[in-house]
């Protein structure tokens, strides 16, 4: 028998690259255009159910075409959202799952404010 699966873990957003000599963050030419700080009213929550994991991501002022979901190493779900509208910004989170998550069958729906991501469990 297998040990119980690990609970999903929300990983911290990746830190910006730094200049190795000065230790200061490198600034991209587009940085003044796109603020990398997520808007203060965004959040992510994970609900564990018997047959699935349900991630709820609040993304007000974001549009569907600015949201990207991808998987990494078959255990990490990467959620990225960008908005170039006033009050927008950049939202990025990675969620690590145990062996029971089926990341090949992820479904998502977005109603203009709340992104609901369903990850089936095996």
């Amino acid at each position: 028998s297998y040990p119980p699966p690990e609970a999903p873990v929300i990983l911290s957003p990746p830190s910006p690259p730094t200049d190795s000599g000065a230790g200061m963050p490198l600034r991209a030419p587009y940085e003044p255009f796109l603020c990398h700080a997520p808007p203060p009213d965004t959040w992510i929550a994970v609900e564990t159910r018997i047959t699935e994991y349900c991630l709820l991501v609040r993304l007000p002022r974001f549009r569907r075409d600015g949201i990207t979901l991808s998987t990494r190493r078959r255990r990490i779900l990467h959620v990225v959202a960008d908005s170039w509208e006033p009050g927008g910004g950049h939202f990025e989170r990675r969620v690590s799952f145990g062996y029971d998550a089926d990341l090949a069958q992820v479904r998502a729906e977005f109603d203009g404010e709340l992104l609901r991501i369903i990850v089936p469990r095996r």
Side-chain angles (χ1 to χ4, degrees):
S1 101
Y2 292 104
E6 300 172 18
V9 176
I10 299 171
L11 305 171
S12 61
S15 56
T18 59
D19 177 14
S20 59
M24 299 293 292
L26 292 175
R27 295 204 174 263
Y30 57 82
E31 192 156 346
F33 175 67
L34 179 63
C35 174
H36 287 304
D41 49 355
T42 58
W43 49 260
I44 184 169
V46 180
E47 297 176 2
T48 301
R49 300 178 181 160
I50 293 173
T51 60
E52 65 193 15
Y53 295 107
C54 180
L55 281 72
L56 300 172
V57 186
R58 185 165 190 268
L59 296 170
R61 296 182 304 279
F62 285 85
R63 294 183 9 192
R64 183 174 185 246
D65 60 356
I67 300 171
T68 304
L69 300 177
S70 62
T71 59
R72 306 271 193 254
R73 296 187 296 269
R74 298 184 187 210
R75 290 200 49 219
I76 296 175
L77 179 69
H78 196 190
V79 180
V80 179
D82 290 305
S83 174
W84 290 269
E85 304 295 325
H90 177 78
F91 178 89
E92 183 173 356
R93 293 292 182 278
R94 294 170 295 145
V95 182
S96 175
F97 291 91
Y99 66 85
D100 66 330
D102 187 0
L103 291 177
Q105 301 296 322
V106 173
R107 299 183 320 271
E109 50 189 54
F110 183 61
D111 66 8
E113 183 170 323
L114 193 64
L115 174 65
R116 177 174 281 118
I117 305 166
I118 304 297
V119 180
R121 294 177 75 178
R122 294 180 221 170

